[in-house]
Amino acid sequence: MMSDYQVVSSKDCLVSEMFSLEELFSKRNQREALLHLSGKPNKVGSDGVLLSELADYWSMNSESIRKVIEQGKYRPSLIYQTDFIKKSGGKRKISSFGTVDRFILRLLEQKLNRYLNDSFLEHCFAYQENKGVLAAVSCVQQFLSKNLHHLVEIDLHHYFDQINLEKLQEQLGGILEDRRVLDLLTAYMYASVSYQGQVHENTIGLIQGSAISPVLSNLYLRDFDQFLESKGWNWLRYADNIYIYCKSKSEAQDIYKEATEVLVRDFDLEINQKKSGVFASMNRRVLGYDFLLREGEVICQKHQYTPLSYYSGWHPSQLNFVNRQYHIVEGGILNQKDYSLLFENEEHRYHLPIEAVEQIDIYSDVIIAPRTLKLLAQKRIPLVVHNDFGNIQAYFIPETMKSPAPLLLKQCQVYLDEEKRLLLSRQFELSHFHNLRANCRYYLKRYKSNKLLLEIEKDLTMAIKEVHRKKSVDDLMLLEARVKQIYYPIFNEILNQSGFSFVKRTKRPPRDPLNALISFCNTILYSRVLRLIWQARLEPKIGVLHASNNRPYSLHLDFADYMKPVIVDRVILSLINKHQINATDHFEEREDGSIYLNREGKYIVLRSFEEKLQTRLVMGGSTYTYAQLIQHDIRQFKRILQQDGDLKRFKPYKYY
């Protein structure tokens, strides 16, 4: 790669013989890869293969996949990328791969590390077994003990993203004798990537999150490490961070100029000028460690970072890759600040990285800056406004989340076809009534002799059988109304706290604390379901069981109703019976007699509700949260619509 200088080193960095494709797919290498992946979360890859099914899938399809690889025609599944905001405030990409590709990449990683690690120089510390931060810090201590008072620090700007793939491919071509392995590595380097809704072929930089990227990043800078070694400098490199310790400032300045020129000219890399330069070595933090001189000895200690303060007026959902929802329960101003949202009032300022948000729900008086709405639209983040009772008052929906015409027409066709609509409506109601009965049976385990619960359970069983006899959607809705009247008295049999009782269902507005809880929790569920419907780009105005009439949306009611018994009702009964919420402290009454949760009550309910949504259940040998189950049903519904397949295959979730 470097032509303007001679590389001289005491350590031969060349690899005389690399692995073949047959060695890559050896039984031992496959066993190690499968064992490694077996300890990872059981997720579905972009190829539709569940990780727990990988071994069986590979056993059945490995021959055909290997044949394509041998022909040099293998193309990885589409890689999906999202942005992740680091604690430091920086941003990096997270990639989601096909399950089969994760396996093949792991095979490649194991072999590349086995053959290349010995070729990396002693002072290259990242991404290697038996090396790491502590070894690098120990090396720094040794340099500082030599009275090297000046430090050249070079930080490479977006290193992974800037690597010249043609030059890297040339490096690999010089050490790989098996062309088939090189073709496979090349396919992963130039794989197709979906980012922010756009699909493109990767043409520059290593894909972050790929198992082979770390070792290839070390390979790319191996010649530069040789250059540093040939100069006799006191250097070390940790990934894209380069440190060179010098005796004088003038020496450090000369080295900085020469080293950065080589990186830019020969490696096509960009220097991060904000973090690079010449510094006093003893005062410079390295890899998260501070160094100081004590009684003539250089000691190091982990830097103690000041933790971020969180504003209690925000209630965050449990953050994961699937569900990222934030609730604002206090008044203030919502504005944009760099890569974050800034919420502030007289008492607090709270920064929320925009990449950590998929929906914002507002339950208070909040001023929203226009540019904030532009940012939310750009990032496809809906915003939902609630009144004091929790009822949804307004939506802000980015245009890119709205249903495309072909999918909208499919929904309309089903709705207008009485037979199809009735078939799907029966499926919704079967799940709904089943879950009501499951809830009743759940509490019968505790109250075995309760005659009313036994009677309700019997009536619900009869209602399930009656679903198949209904000849219209209207008849099903009438049956549902009767079933709810049968079911709601269950609350009085379970509740053990005064101030909560069920007389009748009142809403808009609720007239007692229990109805206020039911309405508020129902609305939270509606909001979550709406977000998942928008993300699937279905049209929520077009319902199935619930008629598409003058109400703003209908489809979310179909998906929410059958989940209410196992989510909403369980949360309410648990909060009351555990005395986490009470009728005196957590509710307020208006002059017209309406009842609603106060700020503290909303916070308690929101926290408990989010915890419930993240509760994990086992289904078909895999674990899902309630939030994921709802998402699964919505995607199932969309897939059946698009394929115009057998509508009988649509099976909404049933609790067992």
Side-chain angles (χ1 to χ4, degrees):
M1 182 179 291
M2 298 179 290
S3 57
D4 295 340
Y5 46 81
Q6 186 76 27
V7 175
V8 180
S9 175
S10 60
K11 182 174 182 178
D12 182 13
C13 74
L14 299 179
V15 180
S16 59
E17 183 179 352
M18 286 284 280
F19 57 92
S20 65
L21 191 68
E22 286 74 22
E23 190 176 350
L24 177 70
F25 288 109
S26 68
K27 291 184 178 179
R28 178 182 176 181
N29 203 36
Q30 290 188 50
R31 282 197 303 269
E32 290 180 4
L34 288 171
L35 180 63
H36 173 80
L37 292 174
S38 67
K40 303 296 182 180
N42 189 23
K43 296 181 179 179
V44 177
S46 61
D47 53 5
V49 179
L50 191 65
L51 185 59
S52 59
E53 299 172 350
L54 171 62
D56 291 336
Y57 183 90
W58 182 253
S59 177
M60 292 185 290
N61 296 279
S62 60
E63 186 175 340
S64 60
I65 295 173
R66 287 185 61 174
K67 186 176 180 180
V68 176
I69 292 174
E70 289 172 356
Q71 296 171 346
K73 298 179 180 179
Y74 183 78
R75 295 295 178 267
S77 300
L78 184 64
I79 300 167
Y80 292 90
Q81 289 188 330
T82 56
D83 289 326
F84 176 78
I85 305 298
K86 298 183 288 186
K87 291 182 179 179
S88 62
K91 183 167 67 171
R92 66 180 177 89
K93 290 187 177 71
I94 295 223
S95 303
S96 298
F97 298 80
T99 299
V100 173
D101 289 322
R102 290 179 65 187
F103 175 63
I104 297 174
L105 285 166
R106 179 64 187 179
L107 294 174
L108 287 165
E109 177 197 16
Q110 291 170 175
K111 286 300 179 183
L112 286 169
N113 280 326
R114 193 165 296 164
Y115 280 85
L116 287 177
N117 277 357
D118 287 342
S119 74
F120 299 138
L121 298 194
E122 180 184 356
H123 289 171
C124 170
F125 289 99
Y127 314 128
Q128 298 176 73
E129 192 175 354
N130 299 322
K131 286 191 175 183
V133 172
L134 292 181
V137 169
S138 177
C139 181
V140 172
Q141 282 184 284
Q142 295 176 28
F143 290 151
L144 292 174
S145 299
K146 298 179 181 179
N147 295 319
L148 302 173
H149 300 299
H150 297 275
L151 168 65
V152 172
E153 182 174 344
I154 303 172
D155 182 85
L156 300 175
H157 184 67
H158 296 305
Y159 173 53
F160 272 51
D161 297 333
Q162 298 300 319
I163 289 175
N164 188 315
L165 294 184
E166 291 183 1
K167 290 186 176 182
L168 180 59
Q169 193 175 358
E170 183 182 341
Q171 280 182 288
L172 289 167
I175 60 177
L176 281 166
E177 296 184 355
D178 194 328
R179 181 74 187 184
R180 300 169 298 174
V181 178
L182 179 61
D183 288 343
L184 183 60
L185 283 166
T186 302
Y188 280 113
M189 288 160 53
Y190 291 93
S192 294
V193 176
S194 174
Y195 176 63
Q196 294 184 344
Q198 301 294 320
V199 177
H200 66 277
E201 183 184 88
N202 188 59
T203 57
I204 183 171
L206 292 171
I207 297 173
Q208 297 194 42
S210 171
I212 60 175
S213 292
V215 63
L216 292 182
S217 72
N218 272 341
L219 175 65
Y220 189 75
L221 283 179
R222 191 177 63 180
D223 287 348
F224 181 72
D225 294 343
Q226 285 284 88
F227 162 71
L228 296 174
E229 189 75 7
S230 70
K231 291 290 186 175
W233 294 337
N234 297 289
W235 69 277
L236 72 134
R237 180 174 66 82
Y238 193 93
D240 58 344
N241 298 110
I242 301 160
Y243 306 93
I244 308 169
Y245 288 82
C246 312
K247 290 183 178 180
S248 68
K249 186 175 182 179
S250 60
E251 179 192 19
Q253 290 171 336
D254 292 340
I255 289 175
Y256 178 79
K257 181 180 179 183
E258 184 176 0
T260 53
E261 285 179 351
V262 170
L263 286 166
V264 173
R265 182 186 69 233
D266 296 332
F267 294 86
D268 297 331
L269 296 173
E270 182 181 348
I271 310 300
N272 184 351
Q273 301 293 344
K274 293 182 179 180
K275 296 183 179 180
S276 304
V278 175
F279 307 93
S281 58
M282 193 61 73
N283 299 328
R284 194 67 177 173
R285 187 181 309 136
V286 175
L287 301 175
Y289 282 81
D290 296 317
F291 300 86
L292 58 142
L293 194 63
R294 184 176 295 171
E295 298 180 357
E297 183 180 356
V298 177
I299 63 172
C300 66
Q301 59 185 25
K302 185 73 174 176
H303 183 73
Q304 299 298 315
Y305 293 92
T306 303
L308 294 173
S309 61
Y310 289 89
Y311 174 43
S312 61
W314 289 71
H315 173 73
S317 305
Q318 295 188 20
L319 293 184
N320 56 52
F321 199 64
V322 178
N323 299 299
R324 302 176 179 187
Q325 186 162 344
Y326 274 73
H327 309 274
I328 308 179
V329 297
E330 287 190 9
I333 300 173
L334 185 63
N335 212 333
Q336 177 186 350
K337 179 68 174 179
D338 299 327
Y339 289 115
S340 67
L341 295 171
L342 174 63
F343 182 74
E344 57 185 337
N345 58 21
E346 295 180 353
E347 299 179 0
H348 304 280
R349 288 170 59 91
Y350 178 75
H351 291 268
L352 181 68
I354 193 68
E355 304 296 344
V357 184
E358 286 191 2
Q359 181 168 315
I360 294 176
D361 286 72
I362 296 176
Y363 302 85
S364 52
D365 293 330
V366 175
I367 299 172
I368 305 171
R371 66 174 185 168
T372 304
L373 295 176
K374 292 180 181 179
L375 180 64
L376 295 177
Q378 179 187 345
K379 296 296 183 178
R380 302 180 77 244
I381 298 171
L383 184 147
V384 184
V385 180
H386 305 255
N387 64 11
D388 289 339
F389 304 102
N391 299 322
I392 297 173
Q393 296 293 287
Y395 304 91
F396 171 77
I397 312 299
E399 288 295 315
T400 53
M401 297 185 73
K402 294 182 179 179
S403 181
L407 188 55
L408 174 60
L409 290 172
K410 288 279 190 181
Q411 287 184 251
C412 292
Q413 288 169 1
V414 169
Y415 183 81
L416 296 172
D417 188 315
E418 292 184 7
E419 185 177 346
K420 291 182 178 179
R421 187 185 170 199
L422 178 60
L423 193 154
L424 288 172
S425 296
R426 283 174 176 159
Q427 297 297 82
F428 278 117
E429 289 291 40
L430 283 171
S431 289
H432 186 188
F433 297 171
H434 175 95
N435 290 342
L436 288 170
R437 185 180 65 178
N439 221 27
C440 186
R441 288 176 173 177
Y442 175 82
Y443 289 104
L444 268 171
K445 293 178 182 178
R446 303 182 186 181
Y447 310 96
K448 296 180 180 179
S449 60
N450 190 297
K451 293 182 180 180
L452 182 59
L453 290 182
L454 289 169
E455 186 178 339
I456 292 173
E457 190 268 346
K458 182 180 178 181
D459 289 343
L460 290 172
T461 300
M462 295 299 295
I464 292 172
K465 296 178 181 178
E466 196 173 342
V467 168
H468 296 285
R469 297 196 293 268
K470 298 302 179 183
K471 303 299 183 183
S472 70
V473 175
D474 288 342
D475 288 343
L476 280 174
M477 292 300 292
L478 289 172
L479 176 62
E480 180 185 307
R482 181 161 60 85
V483 166
K484 287 181 178 179
Q485 289 181 339
I486 294 170
Y487 172 79
Y488 272 122
I490 193 176
F491 282 92
N492 291 333
E493 302 301 308
I494 308 300
L495 295 173
N496 64 6
Q497 186 184 163
S498 62
F500 296 96
S501 64
F502 185 84
V503 179
K504 65 175 182 178
R505 186 74 175 99
T506 59
K507 47 188 176 181
R508 299 186 182 276
R511 296 294 179 178
D512 58 74
L514 180 58
N515 273 292
L517 270 176
I518 294 173
S519 293
F520 188 77
C521 289
N522 282 348
T523 304
I524 302 172
L525 184 60
Y526 293 153
S527 177
R528 175 58 58 88
V529 172
L530 271 170
R531 189 234 295 177
L532 296 174
I533 289 173
W534 285 321
Q535 287 180 337
R537 300 195 71 186
L538 290 165
E539 176 50 68
K541 288 186 174 69
I542 311 300
V544 177
L545 175 63
H546 291 82
S548 299
N549 49 25
N550 291 328
R551 64 165 65 94
Y553 300 119
S554 298
L555 187 60
H556 69 307
L557 303 176
D558 294 340
F559 284 99
D561 277 0
Y562 66 88
M563 297 300 292
K564 285 178 184 177
V566 294
I567 298 177
V568 171
D569 296 354
R570 293 283 184 87
V571 167
I572 292 171
L573 290 166
S574 176
L575 284 171
I576 295 174
N577 286 350
K578 291 180 179 179
H579 292 256
Q580 293 173 304
I581 199 163
N582 63 73
T584 304
D585 298 331
H586 299 120
F587 296 85
E588 294 184 17
E589 183 177 357
R590 290 183 171 177
E591 292 182 359
D592 62 358
S594 59
I595 304 291
Y596 64 95
L597 280 159
N598 61 20
R599 188 182 68 190
E600 184 181 356
K602 287 173 182 174
Y603 185 84
I604 293 170
V605 173
L606 285 166
R607 180 172 57 193
S608 181
F609 200 93
E610 291 295 334
E611 289 174 354
K612 187 66 177 180
L613 283 174
Q614 301 307 317
T615 301
R616 293 195 169 273
L617 305 95
V618 178
M619 276 187 60
S622 302
T623 58
Y624 300 89
T625 65
Y626 279 116
Q628 289 170 333
L629 287 171
I630 300 170
Q631 185 179 53
H632 173 271
D633 285 355
I634 292 171
R635 289 177 174 176
Q636 179 194 175
F637 178 78
K638 178 184 177 180
R639 186 168 58 252
I640 291 173
L641 283 181
Q642 289 178 319
Q643 297 173 353
D644 199 23
D646 185 4
L647 299 181
K648 292 180 181 178
R649 292 191 295 110
F650 177 60
K651 304 291 185 184
Y653 171 72
K654 294 179 182 177
Y655 179 87
Y656 291 96

